[in-house]
Amino acid sequence: MKIICDKISKNFTVPGGVVRVLEDFSFETQAQDFVCILGPNGCGKSTLLKIIAGIVAPSAGRVVFEGPAYAGVRATLIFPEDGLFPWLNVRDNVSFGLEMKGVPVLERYELARKLMEDMELMKFALCYPHQLSSGMKQKASLIRGLLTDAPVILMDEPDKSLDINSKRIMCEDICRVRDEYRKTVICVTHDVDMALRMAKTILVFGRSPVAVVKKIDMRPFSEMSDKQEYCFLLEKLRGEIQGIIRQEVEKVP
Ligand SMILES: Nc1ncnc2c1ncn2[C@@H]1O[C@H](COP(=O)(O)OP(=O)(O)O)[C@@H](O)[C@H]1O
Ligand SMILES: [Mg+2]
C-alpha cells in the first residue's frame, strides 16, 4: 500500500490565534516503505500521523491509499503510551481489534499467541497492563497493531520512555515487522540511530508549518558490501541529521 499525502494543510484555532501546523504538505511513500520521521518537538509529526490514520481531519488536502483493494481500516495508529485498556489482560488487549471484527475467541487467541510467542510476551499473556514494563506495553501495542491486519502501520514514538535495552529490543521487533510483514510503516522517533537502522526512507522535518528539510533514501546503502564504508556513511548521515534538527530547534518561531 502506498500512502500519498496530497497538499495537506492543518490549522488549529487556539486562544490567541491560529496555529498553522501543516501547509500544502505533500509526500508519497513507496509500497511497503518504512519511513522514519524525525523533527523538532511540536512541529506536527503526531498531527500528520493522526490525519493519515483518519482520526483528525485535515483543513485542506487529502490522504490517498494506493494499492490492492482493502475493505477494512487501512491505517492503524499505535499510540505511544497508555494505548492499552487497563481492564483487559494482555491477550485480550492485543486481540481486541479481532474481537471487534467478530473473530471467534479461540481463533483470535490463536492468532495472538503466535505473535506473543514471536515477541516473547507469551509469559505475560494473562497479566494486566499495570503489571508490565514500558517495553512490554510497547510490544503489546505493536502486536495489537499487527493483529488488526491493516496494511499501513503508524507508530508515534514507539521508543518513548524506554530504557536503552528495551529500546534495542523494540528496534529488533520493529525490524522484524519490517522484514516479515508486507506493511507500509511510518514511524516517528527522536532517535537518529534507530531511524538509520530501521528506515528505508528518512524524512527530517523542520519547524511547523511542516516541511521536509531532508529526505534520505536508505535502500542503496543497505546493499553496500563494504562494512567500513557503510559505517562511515552512517556516521556522516547521523551528524548531518543531528545538525539539521539542532538548527531547526534553535530557530526562533
Ligand atoms: N487538538 C489540538 N488543538 C490545538 N492545537 C493542537 C492540537 N493538536 C496539536 N496542536 C498543536 O499543533 C502543533 C503540533 O503538534 P504535534 O503534532 O503534537 O507535534 P509533534 O508530534 O511534532 O511534537 C503544536 O503546536 C500543538 O500545540
Ligand atoms: Mg508527537
Side-chain angles (χ1 to χ4, degrees), residues 177-196:
V177 170
R178 178 195 60 194
D179 298 336
E180 283 180 23
Y181 298 84
R182 299 167 65 80
K183 308 246 182 210
T184 303
V185 181
I186 301 186
C187 175
V188 168
T189 176
H190 285 293
D191 189 320
V192 180
D193 286 310
M194 197 165 126
L196 285 169

PDB file of all heavy atoms in Angstrom, residues 177-196:
ATOM      1  N   VAL A 177       9.154  -6.759  12.001  1.00  0.00           N
ATOM      2  CA  VAL A 177       7.885  -6.384  11.348  1.00  0.00           C
ATOM      3  C   VAL A 177       8.168  -5.903   9.930  1.00  0.00           C
ATOM      4  O   VAL A 177       7.492  -6.280   8.970  1.00  0.00           O
ATOM      5  CB  VAL A 177       7.178  -5.273  12.151  1.00  0.00           C
ATOM      6  CG1 VAL A 177       6.000  -4.709  11.381  1.00  0.00           C
ATOM      7  CG2 VAL A 177       6.740  -5.799  13.504  1.00  0.00           C
ATOM      8  N   ARG A 178       9.220  -5.073   9.825  1.00  0.00           N
ATOM      9  CA  ARG A 178       9.590  -4.528   8.513  1.00  0.00           C
ATOM     10  C   ARG A 178       9.898  -5.661   7.529  1.00  0.00           C
ATOM     11  O   ARG A 178       9.504  -5.621   6.375  1.00  0.00           O
ATOM     12  CB  ARG A 178      10.824  -3.637   8.695  1.00  0.00           C
ATOM     13  CG  ARG A 178      11.362  -3.036   7.425  1.00  0.00           C
ATOM     14  CD  ARG A 178      12.755  -2.491   7.636  1.00  0.00           C
ATOM     15  NE  ARG A 178      13.676  -3.552   8.052  1.00  0.00           N
ATOM     16  CZ  ARG A 178      14.871  -3.365   8.564  1.00  0.00           C
ATOM     17  NH1 ARG A 178      15.316  -2.146   8.752  1.00  0.00           N
ATOM     18  NH2 ARG A 178      15.644  -4.371   8.905  1.00  0.00           N
ATOM     19  N   ASP A 179      10.609  -6.696   8.000  1.00  0.00           N
ATOM     20  CA  ASP A 179      11.077  -7.734   7.096  1.00  0.00           C
ATOM     21  C   ASP A 179      10.045  -8.844   6.860  1.00  0.00           C
ATOM     22  O   ASP A 179      10.035  -9.463   5.816  1.00  0.00           O
ATOM     23  CB  ASP A 179      12.377  -8.351   7.625  1.00  0.00           C
ATOM     24  CG  ASP A 179      13.476  -7.296   7.698  1.00  0.00           C
ATOM     25  OD1 ASP A 179      13.384  -6.295   6.953  1.00  0.00           O
ATOM     26  OD2 ASP A 179      14.410  -7.459   8.502  1.00  0.00           O
ATOM     27  N   GLU A 180       9.191  -9.120   7.868  1.00  0.00           N
ATOM     28  CA  GLU A 180       8.299 -10.285   7.746  1.00  0.00           C
ATOM     29  C   GLU A 180       6.912  -9.947   7.247  1.00  0.00           C
ATOM     30  O   GLU A 180       6.236 -10.774   6.667  1.00  0.00           O
ATOM     31  CB  GLU A 180       8.167 -10.977   9.106  1.00  0.00           C
ATOM     32  CG  GLU A 180       9.374 -11.816   9.447  1.00  0.00           C
ATOM     33  CD  GLU A 180       9.232 -12.484  10.797  1.00  0.00           C
ATOM     34  OE1 GLU A 180       8.098 -12.676  11.269  1.00  0.00           O
ATOM     35  OE2 GLU A 180      10.277 -12.780  11.394  1.00  0.00           O
ATOM     36  N   TYR A 181       6.446  -8.729   7.562  1.00  0.00           N
ATOM     37  CA  TYR A 181       5.070  -8.393   7.190  1.00  0.00           C
ATOM     38  C   TYR A 181       5.128  -7.419   6.032  1.00  0.00           C
ATOM     39  O   TYR A 181       5.959  -6.522   6.016  1.00  0.00           O
ATOM     40  CB  TYR A 181       4.341  -7.754   8.377  1.00  0.00           C
ATOM     41  CG  TYR A 181       4.244  -8.692   9.551  1.00  0.00           C
ATOM     42  CD1 TYR A 181       5.296  -8.800  10.457  1.00  0.00           C
ATOM     43  CD2 TYR A 181       3.125  -9.477   9.746  1.00  0.00           C
ATOM     44  CE1 TYR A 181       5.235  -9.675  11.529  1.00  0.00           C
ATOM     45  CE2 TYR A 181       3.050 -10.349  10.807  1.00  0.00           C
ATOM     46  CZ  TYR A 181       4.100 -10.454  11.707  1.00  0.00           C
ATOM     47  OH  TYR A 181       4.049 -11.316  12.749  1.00  0.00           O
ATOM     48  N   ARG A 182       4.219  -7.607   5.102  1.00  0.00           N
ATOM     49  CA  ARG A 182       4.268  -6.742   3.922  1.00  0.00           C
ATOM     50  C   ARG A 182       3.443  -5.478   4.193  1.00  0.00           C
ATOM     51  O   ARG A 182       2.411  -5.254   3.594  1.00  0.00           O
ATOM     52  CB  ARG A 182       3.752  -7.508   2.703  1.00  0.00           C
ATOM     53  CG  ARG A 182       4.609  -8.737   2.413  1.00  0.00           C
ATOM     54  CD  ARG A 182       3.948  -9.669   1.435  1.00  0.00           C
ATOM     55  NE  ARG A 182       3.793  -9.074   0.116  1.00  0.00           N
ATOM     56  CZ  ARG A 182       4.751  -8.985  -0.785  1.00  0.00           C
ATOM     57  NH1 ARG A 182       5.933  -9.452  -0.516  1.00  0.00           N
ATOM     58  NH2 ARG A 182       4.522  -8.438  -1.956  1.00  0.00           N
ATOM     59  N   LYS A 183       3.926  -4.677   5.125  1.00  0.00           N
ATOM     60  CA  LYS A 183       3.180  -3.487   5.536  1.00  0.00           C
ATOM     61  C   LYS A 183       3.938  -2.233   5.109  1.00  0.00           C
ATOM     62  O   LYS A 183       5.151  -2.267   4.915  1.00  0.00           O
ATOM     63  CB  LYS A 183       3.074  -3.439   7.060  1.00  0.00           C
ATOM     64  CG  LYS A 183       2.534  -4.718   7.654  1.00  0.00           C
ATOM     65  CD  LYS A 183       1.209  -4.485   8.285  1.00  0.00           C
ATOM     66  CE  LYS A 183       0.670  -5.736   8.914  1.00  0.00           C
ATOM     67  NZ  LYS A 183      -0.767  -5.784   8.917  1.00  0.00           N
ATOM     68  N   THR A 184       3.199  -1.143   5.037  1.00  0.00           N
ATOM     69  CA  THR A 184       3.834   0.159   4.883  1.00  0.00           C
ATOM     70  C   THR A 184       3.829   0.790   6.269  1.00  0.00           C
ATOM     71  O   THR A 184       2.787   0.852   6.922  1.00  0.00           O
ATOM     72  CB  THR A 184       3.033   1.032   3.898  1.00  0.00           C
ATOM     73  OG1 THR A 184       2.951   0.320   2.664  1.00  0.00           O
ATOM     74  CG2 THR A 184       3.699   2.381   3.663  1.00  0.00           C
ATOM     75  N   VAL A 185       5.004   1.199   6.724  1.00  0.00           N
ATOM     76  CA  VAL A 185       5.108   1.709   8.091  1.00  0.00           C
ATOM     77  C   VAL A 185       5.624   3.147   8.074  1.00  0.00           C
ATOM     78  O   VAL A 185       6.543   3.481   7.327  1.00  0.00           O
ATOM     79  CB  VAL A 185       6.079   0.831   8.934  1.00  0.00           C
ATOM     80  CG1 VAL A 185       6.180   1.348  10.359  1.00  0.00           C
ATOM     81  CG2 VAL A 185       5.655  -0.625   8.926  1.00  0.00           C
ATOM     82  N   ILE A 186       4.990   3.997   8.899  1.00  0.00           N
ATOM     83  CA  ILE A 186       5.572   5.320   9.165  1.00  0.00           C
ATOM     84  C   ILE A 186       5.809   5.384  10.657  1.00  0.00           C
ATOM     85  O   ILE A 186       4.911   5.113  11.457  1.00  0.00           O
ATOM     86  CB  ILE A 186       4.645   6.474   8.721  1.00  0.00           C
ATOM     87  CG1 ILE A 186       4.337   6.378   7.234  1.00  0.00           C
ATOM     88  CG2 ILE A 186       5.307   7.817   9.038  1.00  0.00           C
ATOM     89  CD1 ILE A 186       3.553   7.564   6.677  1.00  0.00           C
ATOM     90  N   CYS A 187       7.036   5.681  11.031  1.00  0.00           N
ATOM     91  CA  CYS A 187       7.406   5.663  12.438  1.00  0.00           C
ATOM     92  C   CYS A 187       8.046   6.999  12.819  1.00  0.00           C
ATOM     93  O   CYS A 187       9.024   7.414  12.210  1.00  0.00           O
ATOM     94  CB  CYS A 187       8.386   4.519  12.649  1.00  0.00           C
ATOM     95  SG  CYS A 187       9.066   4.422  14.300  1.00  0.00           S
ATOM     96  N   VAL A 188       7.463   7.670  13.805  1.00  0.00           N
ATOM     97  CA  VAL A 188       8.041   8.920  14.298  1.00  0.00           C
ATOM     98  C   VAL A 188       8.964   8.576  15.459  1.00  0.00           C
ATOM     99  O   VAL A 188       8.595   7.803  16.342  1.00  0.00           O
ATOM    100  CB  VAL A 188       6.927   9.878  14.789  1.00  0.00           C
ATOM    101  CG1 VAL A 188       7.517  11.045  15.557  1.00  0.00           C
ATOM    102  CG2 VAL A 188       6.108  10.384  13.614  1.00  0.00           C
ATOM    103  N   THR A 189      10.159   9.091  15.439  1.00  0.00           N
ATOM    104  CA  THR A 189      11.087   8.854  16.548  1.00  0.00           C
ATOM    105  C   THR A 189      12.008  10.060  16.715  1.00  0.00           C
ATOM    106  O   THR A 189      12.153  10.872  15.804  1.00  0.00           O
ATOM    107  CB  THR A 189      11.930   7.581  16.303  1.00  0.00           C
ATOM    108  OG1 THR A 189      12.868   7.439  17.358  1.00  0.00           O
ATOM    109  CG2 THR A 189      12.669   7.608  14.990  1.00  0.00           C
ATOM    110  N   HIS A 190      12.605  10.167  17.908  1.00  0.00           N
ATOM    111  CA  HIS A 190      13.626  11.201  18.105  1.00  0.00           C
ATOM    112  C   HIS A 190      15.024  10.591  18.032  1.00  0.00           C
ATOM    113  O   HIS A 190      16.006  11.295  18.151  1.00  0.00           O
ATOM    114  CB  HIS A 190      13.446  11.868  19.477  1.00  0.00           C
ATOM    115  CG  HIS A 190      12.289  12.822  19.497  1.00  0.00           C
ATOM    116  ND1 HIS A 190      12.290  13.987  18.768  1.00  0.00           N
ATOM    117  CD2 HIS A 190      11.103  12.779  20.125  1.00  0.00           C
ATOM    118  CE1 HIS A 190      11.144  14.618  18.965  1.00  0.00           C
ATOM    119  NE2 HIS A 190      10.398  13.899  19.774  1.00  0.00           N
ATOM    120  N   ASP A 191      15.065   9.264  17.878  1.00  0.00           N
ATOM    121  CA  ASP A 191      16.348   8.574  17.947  1.00  0.00           C
ATOM    122  C   ASP A 191      16.939   8.405  16.542  1.00  0.00           C
ATOM    123  O   ASP A 191      16.480   7.572  15.753  1.00  0.00           O
ATOM    124  CB  ASP A 191      16.120   7.203  18.614  1.00  0.00           C
ATOM    125  CG  ASP A 191      17.432   6.519  18.931  1.00  0.00           C
ATOM    126  OD1 ASP A 191      18.359   6.603  18.101  1.00  0.00           O
ATOM    127  OD2 ASP A 191      17.523   5.900  20.000  1.00  0.00           O
ATOM    128  N   VAL A 192      17.961   9.198  16.256  1.00  0.00           N
ATOM    129  CA  VAL A 192      18.540   9.195  14.907  1.00  0.00           C
ATOM    130  C   VAL A 192      19.128   7.819  14.579  1.00  0.00           C
ATOM    131  O   VAL A 192      18.963   7.311  13.467  1.00  0.00           O
ATOM    132  CB  VAL A 192      19.637  10.284  14.783  1.00  0.00           C
ATOM    133  CG1 VAL A 192      20.243  10.290  13.394  1.00  0.00           C
ATOM    134  CG2 VAL A 192      19.069  11.667  15.111  1.00  0.00           C
ATOM    135  N   ASP A 193      19.770   7.187  15.566  1.00  0.00           N
ATOM    136  CA  ASP A 193      20.392   5.878  15.307  1.00  0.00           C
ATOM    137  C   ASP A 193      19.342   4.829  14.960  1.00  0.00           C
ATOM    138  O   ASP A 193      19.548   4.005  14.079  1.00  0.00           O
ATOM    139  CB  ASP A 193      21.195   5.415  16.526  1.00  0.00           C
ATOM    140  CG  ASP A 193      22.477   6.204  16.629  1.00  0.00           C
ATOM    141  OD1 ASP A 193      23.186   6.287  15.614  1.00  0.00           O
ATOM    142  OD2 ASP A 193      22.757   6.769  17.702  1.00  0.00           O
ATOM    143  N   MET A 194      18.230   4.897  15.700  1.00  0.00           N
ATOM    144  CA  MET A 194      17.157   3.939  15.450  1.00  0.00           C
ATOM    145  C   MET A 194      16.620   4.141  14.023  1.00  0.00           C
ATOM    146  O   MET A 194      16.380   3.176  13.296  1.00  0.00           O
ATOM    147  CB  MET A 194      16.056   4.168  16.489  1.00  0.00           C
ATOM    148  CG  MET A 194      15.096   3.029  16.608  1.00  0.00           C
ATOM    149  SD  MET A 194      14.137   3.199  18.116  1.00  0.00           S
ATOM    150  CE  MET A 194      12.497   3.103  17.454  1.00  0.00           C
ATOM    151  N   ALA A 195      16.446   5.399  13.641  1.00  0.00           N
ATOM    152  CA  ALA A 195      15.946   5.695  12.296  1.00  0.00           C
ATOM    153  C   ALA A 195      16.926   5.182  11.238  1.00  0.00           C
ATOM    154  O   ALA A 195      16.518   4.552  10.260  1.00  0.00           O
ATOM    155  CB  ALA A 195      15.737   7.200  12.140  1.00  0.00           C
ATOM    156  N   LEU A 196      18.216   5.401  11.475  1.00  0.00           N
ATOM    157  CA  LEU A 196      19.212   4.963  10.485  1.00  0.00           C
ATOM    158  C   LEU A 196      19.217   3.444  10.357  1.00  0.00           C
ATOM    159  O   LEU A 196      19.467   2.894   9.300  1.00  0.00           O
ATOM    160  CB  LEU A 196      20.611   5.443  10.905  1.00  0.00           C
ATOM    161  CG  LEU A 196      20.889   6.927  10.685  1.00  0.00           C
ATOM    162  CD1 LEU A 196      22.168   7.344  11.376  1.00  0.00           C
ATOM    163  CD2 LEU A 196      20.980   7.257   9.190  1.00  0.00           C
TER     164      LEU A 196
END
